[in-house]
Amino acid sequence: MTTLRTVGNRSRTGRALTYVLVIAIALAIAVPVAWVLLASLKQKSEFYGSPWVLPRGLYVQNYVDAFVTARMGQYFLTSVLVTVLGLVFVLAVSVPAAYVIARYEFRGRGLVEVALLAGLFVNVNYIVVPIFLMLVDWDRSLVDVLPGGFFIDNPGVLALVYAATSIPFTIYLLTAFFRSIPADYEEAAALDGASRLRIMTSVMLPMARPAVTTVVLFNFLAYWNDFIIALTLLPGDGKTLQVGLLNLMTAQKAAADYGRLYAGMVIVIVPVLIVYALIQRRLIEGMASGGVKG
Amino acid sequence: MTTISAPPPGSTDRTSEPAPSAGRSRRGARVPARRRGDVGFVLACLLPALVLFAVFMVVPTVNVFRMSLYTWSGFSPDLRFVGLDNFTRLFDDEQFVRAFQNTVALLVVVTVVTMGMGLFLAAIMTRQRLRGRNLYRFVLYIPNVLSVVVIAAIFSAVFDQENGLLNGVLRLLSLDGLQQVWLGDQKLVLWSVAIAMVWQSLGYYMVLYMSSMASIPEELYEASALDGASAGRQFFTITLPLIWQNLRTTLTFFVMSAVNLSFVLVRAMTGGGPDGSSEVLLSYLYKQAYTNSSYGYGMAIGVVIFAFSFLVSLLVSRATRREPVQF
């Protein structure tokens, strides 16, 4: 505050300008999002003419259309299933791995760490094509047993791919956190006769809750929001919400059926906005603790 | 998509990197795997993660490089080794050259604008203690939790030629002459994509820089204010040097995330059109692989993407190396 006082008058106009700038940027972000929420309640005829007119009434039919006719309801369930399964998978394999990397000396630990760090630099979208071809190949070799195919169009497999490709980031963050916990707790538990497994699950895991929460948050956003992998691995009817929305976008271009599209967008946006509003502090803290978007 | 990754491994200076590398781990005592049964425990904990990582990340990555040496039209068993032919073909492929140029242009423009604005906003939000800054922070971070499909749909509505928000605003302001076919004009479409990219990532970097600026002690600013330093001078002599390591890390990773973001946005918003004018490297890879069934050729583009993003990250990391300043 000292700065402001010494510079005096000049800074008062500067401060006003600052407010104008920041508010303008905030509006540039908030207005289009709010506009989508409003537009989802407009009737078809209202989309012609100025886009800035408020909706005349609450035209809920758009939502019925989106949920039922455009099957967004069904896609919503697929997305929930895939996201939850992906989170379960990634935690089930990453927590134990991160724990032993942080706490045990074993041969090849350096190599494992380097390989996982290198994995941070491989973006999933760089390697979706070979993953897809590999799964198609597996299906083909199983054709005698399972003529319908197993790996493609399987939400479980999609969840597994999500989990596998977020392993480097997840282990990286968890390992760092495990290392910051003093070893005294484990030594005490070991003296009390706790087994290695029990030390990991009942002593260390509860203490690592903040890191686990951060990991769950970031992975939730990544899985829920992905559409490239889902588009590739679920080409059939069981789509995820994002792919369903993409189809609505394409359909709208042909038929100019805006209402259904905006209702679909709201269905996709609202869950993340709720989660974000609830946990924004945690999300921002987690980011400060070393997550950089890749 | 927002895949999250972390600061680069201690490839360079470890001094102020938040990455807890070897130095820190010694503090927490490690249990040597010597007791009976320890090896089994370690293996049981490690193997599931390593197997998944190997099958779905290592093998596909290796396959990108391997397949780039073959021609293969997809599902037929007809696989032919052609050496580096795919790569020499790339240089004569005008569409590839354009996709490369578009990627570089987006990378440069979006990096400069996002980082510049992000730093500037973070500095005024932390230094000027604006009223309601938690609200601004909340709003500015929203695009980062939205999916790219949603952002593409929002910007299709903003840029729509007839009923779009942008042309609507211009009409309201009687600036009809400035109305454009934002996504249909070959010269404009790339900049429309760039605007969407900045819109998506600005808040993320602002929040990131705000949190590292918040840890700079207030006394430094007070002392320099007594010496008569202006806010601008303080930014360049105090703020910037002290968050330099953080800035460097984000820049290094920004390359990869921008290459990826440009693709997902283009895929959802323009499909590379009109007439290939907004094609970027990854979207061209997809077109070759899925639409054209030239998997080998597509993977050669993949190799170029790997090499390109690695090289740029390395260059950025080298060019921004400074003696770490501490407070």
Side-chain angles (χ1 to χ4, degrees):
Chain A
M1 292 321 272
T2 337
T3 9
L4 293 173
R5 237 174 281 134
T6 46
V7 187
N9 243 349
R10 218 186 81 213
S11 86
R12 204 166 302 152
T13 34
R15 206 169 156 77
L17 274 177
T18 311
Y19 270 109
V20 171
L21 181 80
V22 173
I23 290 172
I25 293 177
L27 282 178
I29 285 165
V31 167
V33 178
W35 184 83
V36 168
L37 300 180
L38 285 177
S40 70
L41 296 165
K42 287 185 178 179
Q43 290 188 44
K44 195 166 184 181
S45 60
E46 293 177 74
F47 284 102
Y48 300 97
S50 173
W52 293 103
V53 180
L54 288 174
R56 275 196 296 266
L58 303 181
Y59 189 64
V60 194
Q61 185 62 32
N62 288 335
Y63 284 87
V64 179
D65 280 352
F67 261 112
V68 183
T69 323
R71 299 167 71 181
M72 293 299 268
Q74 182 203 329
Y75 299 157
F76 192 95
L77 293 180
T78 313
S79 275
V80 171
L81 174 75
V82 170
T83 305
V84 170
L85 267 182
L87 288 174
V88 170
F89 288 155
V90 79
L91 286 181
V93 302
S94 300
V95 169
Y99 174 65
V100 296
I101 290 174
R103 280 296 199 252
Y104 282 79
E105 290 288 357
F106 54 92
R107 224 182 304 157
R109 190 170 54 83
L111 188 71
V112 168
E113 274 188 281
V114 169
L116 288 173
L117 278 175
L120 288 177
F121 285 88
V122 178
N123 192 298
V124 207
N125 291 344
Y126 293 10
I127 56 171
V128 182
V129 177
I131 291 177
F132 169 71
L133 292 175
M134 181 172 76
L135 295 177
V136 169
D137 211 42
W138 290 354
D139 267 347
R140 203 171 314 136
S141 53
L142 277 182
V143 82
D144 296 331
V145 200
L146 290 161
F150 175 77
F151 292 102
I152 296 294
D153 266 330
N154 184 336
V157 174
L158 178 63
L160 202 63
V161 172
Y162 283 154
T165 48
S166 50
I167 282 177
F169 159 72
T170 309
I171 291 189
Y172 174 86
L173 220 113
L174 290 176
T175 307
F177 196 85
F178 278 132
R179 278 178 183 157
S180 71
I181 302 176
D184 309 351
Y185 299 99
E186 287 151 285
E187 281 157 16
L191 282 180
D192 288 346
S195 70
R196 280 173 290 255
L197 185 67
R198 238 185 98 77
I199 292 177
M200 182 172 80
T201 53
S202 322
V203 180
M204 292 299 274
L205 192 57
M207 275 196 281
R209 253 220 345 247
V212 172
T213 318
T214 307
V215 159
V216 166
L217 279 177
F218 281 114
N219 284 337
F220 160 75
L221 286 176
Y223 302 167
W224 183 265
N225 284 340
D226 161 76
F227 79 97
I228 297 290
I229 313 176
L231 187 67
T232 317
L233 300 189
L234 300 182
D237 284 338
K239 299 182 189 316
T240 62
L241 210 43
Q242 307 294 342
V243 179
L245 186 64
L246 196 67
N247 287 353
L248 269 180
M249 256 175 95
T250 323
Q252 171 264 312
K253 267 175 199 149
D257 195 354
Y258 293 101
R260 197 185 292 188
L261 171 67
Y262 294 135
M265 284 169 72
V266 174
I267 296 171
V268 178
I269 295 176
V270 164
V272 275
L273 273 191
I274 291 175
V275 172
Y276 168 56
L278 289 177
I279 49 81
Q280 54 136 340
R281 185 149 299 156
R282 175 122 262 169
L283 194 75
I284 286 162
E285 277 166 12
M287 224 169 75
S289 74
V292 170
K293 187 169 57 170
Chain B
M1 195 174 114
T2 36
T3 328
I4 314 292
S5 46
S11 55
T12 48
D13 40 10
R14 306 194 153 173
T15 31
S16 59
E17 209 85 287
S21 44
R24 196 178 183 181
S25 60
R26 281 194 195 108
R27 229 181 294 148
R30 240 179 246 277
V31 188
R34 255 184 247 120
R35 281 185 296 155
R36 257 162 57 107
D38 268 353
V39 177
F41 179 71
V42 166
L43 274 181
C45 286
L46 215 50
L47 268 185
L50 288 188
V51 169
L52 275 185
F53 176 68
V55 171
F56 289 106
M57 286 198 86
V58 179
V59 171
T61 307
V62 171
N63 269 340
V64 169
F65 285 83
R66 197 176 53 88
M67 300 246 316
S68 70
L69 304 175
Y70 291 84
T71 56
W72 187 37
S73 59
F75 308 108
S76 70
D78 183 24
L79 190 71
R80 200 160 50 86
F81 183 80
V82 291
L84 296 175
D85 269 13
N86 284 330
F87 293 94
T88 47
R89 265 174 63 206
L90 280 178
F91 292 104
D92 301 324
D93 183 346
E94 273 175 39
Q95 277 185 293
F96 168 77
V97 173
R98 180 153 63 168
F100 204 117
Q101 285 168 340
N102 285 347
T103 306
V104 174
L106 282 179
L107 208 57
V108 172
V109 171
V110 174
T111 309
V112 170
V113 175
T114 310
M115 295 283 165
M117 281 175 74
L119 273 173
F120 179 69
L121 283 175
I124 54 180
M125 297 269 274
T126 25
R127 294 304 309 148
Q128 308 247 357
R129 317 212 176 264
L130 298 186
R131 223 169 297 152
R133 64 196 164 123
N134 282 341
L135 179 68
Y136 303 133
R137 192 178 64 177
F138 177 81
V139 171
L140 260 80
Y141 195 82
I142 287 178
N144 197 58
V145 299
L146 300 180
S147 78
V148 172
V149 182
V150 166
I151 292 168
I154 287 178
F155 273 90
S156 299
V158 170
F159 288 136
D160 192 275
Q161 187 185 347
E162 292 294 319
N163 309 311
L165 294 184
L166 193 52
N167 281 350
V169 170
L170 292 173
R171 251 195 312 264
L172 280 180
L173 301 172
S174 316
L175 293 168
D176 295 44
L178 288 178
Q179 292 187 52
Q180 301 287 350
V181 194
W182 300 101
L183 293 176
D185 185 323
Q186 298 214 10
K187 292 196 190 77
L188 270 179
V189 64
L190 201 63
W191 306 119
S192 305
V193 172
I195 291 173
M197 283 175 75
V198 172
W199 191 86
Q200 195 268 352
S201 41
L202 179 62
Y204 178 86
Y205 290 97
M206 183 196 77
V207 168
L208 201 64
Y209 297 143
M210 275 175 79
S211 63
S212 63
M213 285 178 192
S215 64
I216 301 175
E218 188 61 33
E219 301 92 75
L220 291 178
Y221 292 101
E222 281 166 10
S224 84
L226 287 179
D227 293 341
S230 67
R233 211 181 139 73
Q234 288 185 333
F235 176 75
F236 286 105
T237 54
I238 301 174
T239 314
L240 208 52
L242 284 174
I243 66 156
W244 191 259
Q245 290 308 320
N246 190 303
L247 186 68
R248 235 186 115 202
T249 312
T250 54
L251 261 177
T252 313
F253 272 90
F254 188 75
V255 177
M256 207 173 69
S257 89
V259 166
N260 182 49
L261 180 65
S262 66
F263 158 59
V264 277
L265 257 177
V266 160
R267 171 72 184 75
M269 202 157 91
T270 69
D275 197 24
S277 52
S278 64
E279 206 79 78
V280 289
L281 282 177
L282 267 169
S283 67
Y284 192 52
L285 183 162
Y286 271 67
K287 187 170 273 178
Q288 287 299 331
Y290 291 129
T291 318
N292 213 5
S293 288
S294 309
Y295 285 97
Y297 192 58
M299 291 303 100
I301 302 170
V303 172
V304 172
I305 296 170
F306 265 111
F308 173 74
S309 43
F310 180 74
L311 273 178
V312 176
S313 295
L314 197 71
L315 276 177
V316 166
S317 162
R318 281 280 151 82
T320 53
R321 182 179 289 177
R322 300 276 187 282
E323 280 300 307
V325 186
Q326 271 167 349
F327 43 79

